[in-house]
Amino acid sequence: MATFISVPLKKSSEVDLSKPLSKFISATYPSGEEQAEYCRAAEELNKLRKSAVGRPLDKHESSLETLFRYYDQLCCIEAKFPFSENQICLTFTWKDAFDKGSLFGGSTKLALANVGYEKSCVLFNCGALASQVASEQNLDNDVGLRTSAKYYQIASGAFAHIKDTVLSALNREPTMDLSPDTVGTLSQIMLAQAQEVFFLKAAADKMKDAIIAKLANQAADYYGDAFKQCQYRENLPKEVLPVLAAKHCIMQANAEYHQSILAKQQKKFGEEISRLQHAAELVKTVASRYDEYVNVKELSDKISRALTAAKKDNDFIYHDRIPDLKDLEPIGKASMVKPTPVSVPISQKFTDLFEKMVPLTVQQALSGYNQRKALLINSLIGQMKEATNVSNGVLASLNLPAAVEDVSGDSIPQSILEKSKSVIQQGGVQTIDQLIKDLPELLQRNREILEESFKMLAEEEATDNELKTKFKERWQRTPSSELYKSLRSEGDKCRAMLDQAVHADKTVKDRYAAARNTIALLCKPEAELSAAIPSANPAKTLQGSEVVTVLKTLLAQLDEVKKEREALEKELKSISFDMTSKFLTALAQDGVINEEAISVSELDRIYGSHTQNVQANLKKQEELLNNIRVSYEDFSKMKQSNTETNQREEVLKNLAVAHDSFVELLANLKEGTKFYNDLVEIILRYQNRCSDIVFARKTEREELLKDLQQSIAREPSAPSLAVPAYQTAGVGSVSAASDASHAAPTPAPRTAFGATKSQPPARPPPPVLPSTSASTAAVNSVPTNVPCASSGATPAAATNSSQAQGPPYPTYPGYPGGYMQMPMPVYHPYVYSNMPYMYPPPGQAPFPASQHPPQAGYPFPQQPYYPPQ
């Protein structure tokens, strides 16, 4: 009687998880121990998948534990990796658990680049394997009963969870085994079986009959609900429906049996007999309809013995009235089971392989915070650099500090010598020339990689559009044009950045062309530099004056302000603060992360004082520059002015400006070189993503084409041929039999899955030959040209059904018509050598053979008729 339903496992194609996850880890996390640890975790995850779904699993709790661990790990990594078609593209292919496939078509399967789909399929296997483990338990002992009930409830909970989440996880229709209706039915079946196990345990523990009856009645109710749901599930195995119907009746019979014992204890002997009679009818129904699925002999014998004894006692002793079944009080129900909810982690031994990796929402929040931080730091550093450029420009226009240092009028000022030495140490014009020469090569490399990426996407999209045009509505997958929108947008941004870089390179080249000669002058030896600077009369009256002293003091203070800015810039770049704990706390408390509010608050707290220091420094420089301008006006009034002096000052100014231009150009070119080198890495990662998604789309395309070919192979290659006329026209009995076969309804099967063998079509009756005398007379009376008889005519001799029937034999003029045995002459090779009638002469057609005219109702093809000559 203990027949339980178990669910088969889904089968999956092999998927390499290690390679794409390791690529993402390498592109996202800096090189080091952390990155290596995450890559090792990716390899362990790949091994775990192979153990869980890449091999046949034993019906044992250890195999179920492996599935639980893999499901838990999927739930953890779903929040830590961006699984999507245009980021980490992993295509998971699973076959329908109940579809056995066909010879040419194969079984139904679905491939999706969706980790939610993988989770649903793995959870389905968790429920399926739990049902198999439960059905393998020994129900003769208490441990087996408890274990079986536990795993049936786990299976019910797994299927119920899939029912609630599969549509939102997939965003499309799943295979039939994962549809909400199917998994809802499976959940109900598992719940009913768990309730039955509790009934068996109560019966084994010899609990009160009232309790056992309630447990059995509740199990019957669960089986009834499962039977109703299963009636519309054509994809489930054929034995499921009759087993559910049988179990419903068996549990009802058990409930009636134990309730009858309770009625007997309460002296309600008529109710006892009524319930036993109903139980006997239920068991009889099971034995007559579902005997091939369940065995109820033991229960039937027990109920029969109890019914016989109850009737005997009532007939001879109690004479209690036997009430109708509808007049009896309904049996109560007691549910001892419920679906075990799926709460991660399911496994008790689960350890997250990526425990140190933060969730994807936290990663995104950290990325947003880092962008805001970089924007703030770059803004502050930009303001300080702009202030330095303004300061250098003002001093160069005033020829400071060279003007206050040039007291002899024919020597090189110390500041100019220091600037010349600095330019020479940094490589001078040779360094600038080499950097400018390298820029086009770096630019071209970036462009080639980017264009190759666009080419890959365009070729795959063209192939997808071609197949879409070819297969039309059969080609059901996300169009490449929609899938590549974000990638193309990212590529367009890289292309725009390159265009902006080209414009910036041109600006730098123009500025360098304007300042190159003066920079080259700074690179010359001191003697050549001194000769290039015009001489002038010394300004002896300015030596030791108060104005010069004030100017030197102000210039020294301005140098201090510049050094302070350099220290502030280093300090800003060195500050680091880990926001992970902040975002994790916010996620744990609120369930979401308000990145903007948290980032702005923390940046103000961390960088607020530095921002104030930068603004104070800029304000101080502005005041110093104003004082320098005022003092320089007094200095220029006291200084003697002539043509030679003006020429000398102009050259010194140009040299100072050339130094500043060199420093700025060198910084710009180094920044541009770094930009191109960094952009190469970004574009290479972009190219890898394009390559990965194109490869994944190619794999998906091949799978889809294979499925389409199989589906086309399952379709009929040509329309069914019409029945030939000679098989339908003929004897009236044949047509009548055919009409009767079409008109008669198909009898209902004994069970829902009992198939009636199809009978072959009725054979047409053979023609009836006329008697020997009649055929002879007919042949002798036939004229030379006799028209063929109409197909509707029926020979009179056809009514003679006792005569042997068969194909007609040929007759000849003068032949008596009977087919008699005749002695065969002894063959002699010379006797027939000159008999021309035996063989036709060469080149002459063979003699035509005579045959009867066509007969009405003759079902075989007619041969040409040649009348006797």
Side-chain angles (χ1 to χ4, degrees):
M1 188 192 73
T3 301
F4 290 92
I5 297 171
S6 60
V7 182
L9 296 173
K10 290 174 71 67
K11 295 181 180 179
S12 173
S13 301
E14 184 177 355
V15 178
D16 185 7
L17 298 178
S18 176
K19 185 177 179 180
L21 292 182
S22 298
K23 277 189 176 182
F24 173 80
I25 291 168
S26 301
T28 306
Y29 296 91
S31 301
E33 181 60 29
E34 184 182 26
Q35 184 188 103
E37 182 180 352
Y38 291 157
C39 290
R40 289 193 296 268
E43 294 176 0
E44 289 297 324
L45 177 62
N46 194 49
K47 293 178 182 178
L48 180 59
R49 187 184 193 276
K50 289 181 178 179
S51 300
V53 302
R55 62 180 180 87
L57 295 176
D58 298 329
K59 299 177 182 179
H60 193 267
E61 296 178 30
S62 60
S63 299
L64 189 59
E65 181 67 23
T66 302
L67 271 175
F68 285 162
R69 284 178 52 218
Y70 180 54
Y71 178 79
D72 291 337
Q73 192 62 66
L74 285 175
C75 294
C76 289
I77 68 172
E78 186 180 22
K80 297 180 179 181
F81 291 94
F83 293 102
S84 65
E85 291 187 5
N86 53 7
Q87 294 190 55
I88 300 181
C89 186
L90 287 170
T91 301
F92 301 100
T93 304
W94 288 84
K95 295 182 179 180
D96 192 310
F98 301 112
D99 187 4
K100 302 303 180 183
S102 61
L103 179 61
F104 299 104
S107 59
T108 303
K109 59 184 177 181
L110 178 63
L112 289 178
N114 186 339
V115 74
Y117 174 56
E118 174 86 346
K119 283 174 53 183
S120 298
C121 293
V122 173
L123 188 59
F124 182 95
N125 275 5
C126 290
L129 188 59
S131 71
Q132 296 176 15
V133 172
S135 63
E136 290 292 316
Q137 298 301 314
N138 182 8
L139 302 183
D140 295 332
N141 58 66
D142 188 68
V143 176
L145 289 168
R146 289 178 181 274
T147 305
S148 181
K150 169 188 172 183
Y151 284 114
Y152 277 133
Q153 292 177 84
I154 289 176
S156 178
F159 293 131
H161 186 79
I162 297 173
K163 177 185 176 182
D164 296 335
T165 60
V166 65
L167 293 182
S168 59
L170 270 62
N171 294 323
R172 59 160 293 168
E173 284 296 325
T175 49
M176 289 296 294
D177 56 345
L178 287 180
S179 65
D181 293 338
T182 300
V183 290
T185 301
L186 295 177
S187 176
Q188 187 64 32
I189 293 173
M190 297 299 113
L191 198 65
Q193 293 184 154
Q195 180 72 17
E196 181 184 355
V197 171
F198 271 99
F199 157 75
L200 294 175
K201 186 178 186 307
D205 294 345
K206 297 182 179 180
M207 300 179 70
K208 294 181 179 180
D209 291 288
I211 296 175
I212 298 175
K214 291 180 180 180
L215 292 174
N217 196 32
Q218 182 65 68
D221 194 28
Y222 284 152
Y223 276 120
D225 293 341
F227 177 81
K228 292 176 183 177
Q229 297 179 26
C230 190
Q231 282 181 312
Y232 308 102
R233 306 270 72 78
E234 298 179 356
N235 61 315
L236 294 178
K238 66 176 184 178
E239 66 271 9
V240 172
L241 191 65
V243 167
L244 292 178
K247 286 294 190 76
H248 173 67
C249 296
I250 290 171
M251 288 296 102
Q252 259 189 316
N254 276 293
E256 296 290 354
Y257 172 76
H258 288 279
Q259 193 69 19
S260 71
I261 297 176
L262 182 63
K264 182 179 180 180
Q265 294 172 356
Q266 296 174 351
K267 309 297 182 182
K268 298 177 181 179
F269 303 106
E271 178 183 345
E272 177 192 8
I273 295 173
S274 179
R275 293 192 181 278
L276 288 174
Q277 286 177 343
H278 185 215
E281 292 174 358
L282 291 170
V283 173
K284 183 179 179 181
T285 300
V286 174
S288 62
R289 294 186 179 183
Y290 312 115
D291 56 331
E292 60 181 305
Y293 301 104
V294 293
N295 182 11
V296 291
K297 187 177 185 307
E298 181 180 352
L299 178 62
S300 178
D301 293 343
K302 182 171 64 173
I303 294 174
S304 297
R305 289 194 299 269
L307 179 59
T308 301
K311 283 184 176 180
K312 182 178 179 181
D313 291 345
N314 191 56
D315 291 343
F316 287 96
I317 302 175
Y318 305 114
H319 304 287
D320 195 6
R321 184 182 69 84
I322 300 175
D324 291 337
L325 185 65
K326 62 182 180 180
D327 297 332
L328 299 177
E329 292 184 3
I331 303 174
K333 300 175 184 177
S335 177
M336 298 296 294
V337 295
K338 63 179 181 179
T340 303
V342 176
S343 58
V344 179
I346 306 176
S347 172
Q348 298 178 354
K349 302 177 182 179
F350 172 69
T351 302
D352 188 5
L353 296 174
F354 300 90
E355 184 176 5
K356 296 181 180 179
M357 184 180 289
V358 296
L360 187 60
T361 52
V362 176
Q363 294 180 27
Q364 293 171 348
L366 286 172
S367 177
Y369 166 78
N370 290 330
Q371 290 179 2
R372 296 178 190 277
K373 172 185 173 183
L375 185 63
L376 175 62
I377 293 176
N378 290 337
S379 175
L380 294 175
I381 293 177
Q383 292 178 25
M384 289 190 291
K385 285 186 175 181
E386 180 66 23
T388 301
N389 292 335
V390 170
S391 173
N392 292 338
V394 170
L395 294 182
S397 64
L398 300 178
N399 193 26
L400 292 176
V404 295
E405 294 172 351
D406 188 19
V407 292
S408 63
D410 54 359
S411 62
I412 302 175
Q414 186 63 33
S415 61
I416 299 298
L417 287 175
E418 291 176 357
K419 289 175 180 178
S420 175
K421 185 178 179 180
S422 174
V423 170
I424 294 172
Q425 287 177 349
Q426 297 182 60
V429 292
Q430 291 81 7
T431 302
I432 301 291
D433 289 339
Q434 186 61 43
L435 290 173
I436 290 178
K437 181 180 177 182
D438 293 340
L439 288 180
E441 297 179 4
L442 297 173
L443 173 66
Q444 183 64 22
R445 183 184 178 192
N446 282 277
R447 285 198 184 279
E448 288 176 355
I449 298 173
L450 187 60
E451 294 305 323
E452 182 65 26
S453 303
F454 277 112
K455 183 179 178 182
M456 283 192 296
L457 298 179
E459 289 177 352
E460 199 284 326
E461 183 178 350
T463 305
D464 183 70
N465 293 336
E466 181 181 348
L467 292 173
K468 178 68 175 177
T469 305
K470 180 178 179 180
F471 293 104
K472 297 181 181 179
E473 66 277 357
R474 289 175 178 265
W475 195 251
Q476 295 181 351
R477 71 168 184 169
T478 306
S480 297
S481 57
E482 296 182 10
L483 187 61
Y484 297 156
K485 282 183 178 178
S486 59
L487 278 175
R488 283 207 169 91
S489 175
E490 186 176 346
D492 291 337
K493 289 180 181 178
C494 292
R495 182 178 285 172
M497 292 169 63
L498 287 176
D499 293 339
Q500 293 176 0
V502 170
H503 180 71
D505 293 345
K506 185 177 182 303
T507 303
V508 170
K509 291 178 182 178
D510 292 342
R511 290 176 53 197
Y512 175 63
R516 189 181 188 283
N517 293 334
T518 312
I519 296 174
L521 182 61
L522 275 176
C523 298
K524 293 182 179 298
E526 182 177 349
E528 295 184 18
L529 180 60
S530 177
I533 300 175
S535 300
N537 295 326
K540 297 180 179 179
T541 57
L542 298 178
Q543 293 180 6
S545 66
E546 184 179 356
V547 176
V548 173
T549 304
V550 171
L551 273 175
K552 287 183 177 181
T553 303
L554 292 174
L555 290 173
Q557 293 177 359
L558 186 61
D559 286 339
E560 291 296 327
V561 170
K562 290 180 180 180
K563 292 179 181 179
E564 182 181 347
R565 278 203 297 269
E566 292 175 359
L568 282 173
E569 181 176 349
K570 291 180 180 180
E571 191 174 350
L572 284 172
K573 291 180 178 180
S574 64
I575 294 176
S576 62
F577 182 77
D578 189 7
M579 290 289 292
T580 304
S581 58
K582 288 281 183 180
F583 289 132
L584 285 174
T585 303
L587 183 63
Q589 292 178 351
D590 305 330
V592 293
I593 299 176
N594 189 348
E595 181 270 327
E596 182 178 1
I598 297 175
S599 298
V600 170
S601 174
E602 288 299 313
L603 288 174
D604 183 64
R605 182 182 66 83
I606 298 171
Y607 294 97
S609 58
H610 296 81
T611 304
Q612 294 175 2
N613 292 336
V614 169
Q615 298 302 325
N617 181 276
L618 298 180
K619 186 177 180 180
K620 185 176 181 181
Q621 174 180 291
E622 186 177 358
E623 294 176 354
L624 285 173
L625 289 177
N626 290 333
N627 294 333
I628 289 173
R629 288 191 185 97
V630 172
S631 297
Y632 183 78
E633 289 178 1
D634 297 338
F635 173 76
S636 59
K637 290 178 183 178
M638 296 174 60
K639 189 174 58 173
Q640 297 178 0
S641 178
N642 53 48
T643 303
E644 294 178 355
T645 304
N646 292 337
Q647 289 179 354
R648 181 179 177 84
E649 287 186 2
E650 186 66 26
V651 172
L652 293 177
K653 287 180 184 179
N654 291 338
L655 290 174
V657 170
H659 170 267
D660 296 339
S661 298
F662 174 82
V663 173
E664 187 175 355
L665 287 170
L666 185 61
N668 290 338
L669 288 170
K670 288 183 177 180
E671 183 180 354
T673 303
K674 183 177 183 300
F675 165 79
Y676 284 124
N677 290 328
D678 293 345
L679 190 61
V680 166
E681 297 182 3
I682 295 173
I683 297 180
L684 281 174
R685 287 198 296 267
Y686 174 77
Q687 185 187 40
N688 290 335
R689 288 172 53 196
C690 293
S691 177
D692 291 343
I693 192 172
V694 167
F695 178 78
R697 294 282 287 180
K698 179 183 177 182
T699 305
E700 182 185 12
R701 181 176 71 240
E702 292 173 353
E703 291 286 338
L704 189 54
L705 282 173
K706 184 179 178 181
D707 294 343
L708 286 174
Q709 291 171 357
Q710 292 177 352
S711 65
I712 292 173
R714 287 194 291 263
E715 296 178 355
S717 59
S720 58
L721 299 176
V723 180
Y726 66 80
Q727 292 188 8
T728 57
V731 181
S733 60
V734 179
S735 301
S738 177
D739 295 340
S741 65
H742 286 296
T746 303
R750 185 167 65 109
T751 66
F753 296 94
T756 305
K757 293 184 178 180
S758 58
Q759 299 298 328
R763 296 180 179 177
V768 180
L769 294 178
S771 62
T772 305
S773 59
S775 61
T776 306
V779 168
N780 294 334
S781 61
V782 170
T784 304
N785 295 321
V786 179
C788 294
S790 63
S791 61
T794 304
T799 59
N800 186 7
S801 61
S802 62
Q803 186 178 354
Q805 300 173 357
Y809 295 97
T811 58
Y812 305 94
Y815 189 72
Y819 186 75
M820 300 178 294
Q821 293 183 353
M822 296 183 65
M824 297 296 294
V826 179
Y827 172 74
H828 193 280
Y830 303 102
V831 174
Y832 303 102
S833 59
N834 297 317
M835 298 182 69
Y837 62 85
M838 292 297 295
Y839 300 97
Q844 180 179 340
F847 297 111
S850 176
Q851 187 178 1
H852 279 299
Q855 300 180 13
Y858 190 75
F860 303 99
Q862 297 292 325
Q863 299 179 358
Y865 170 70
Y866 301 95
Q869 300 295 328

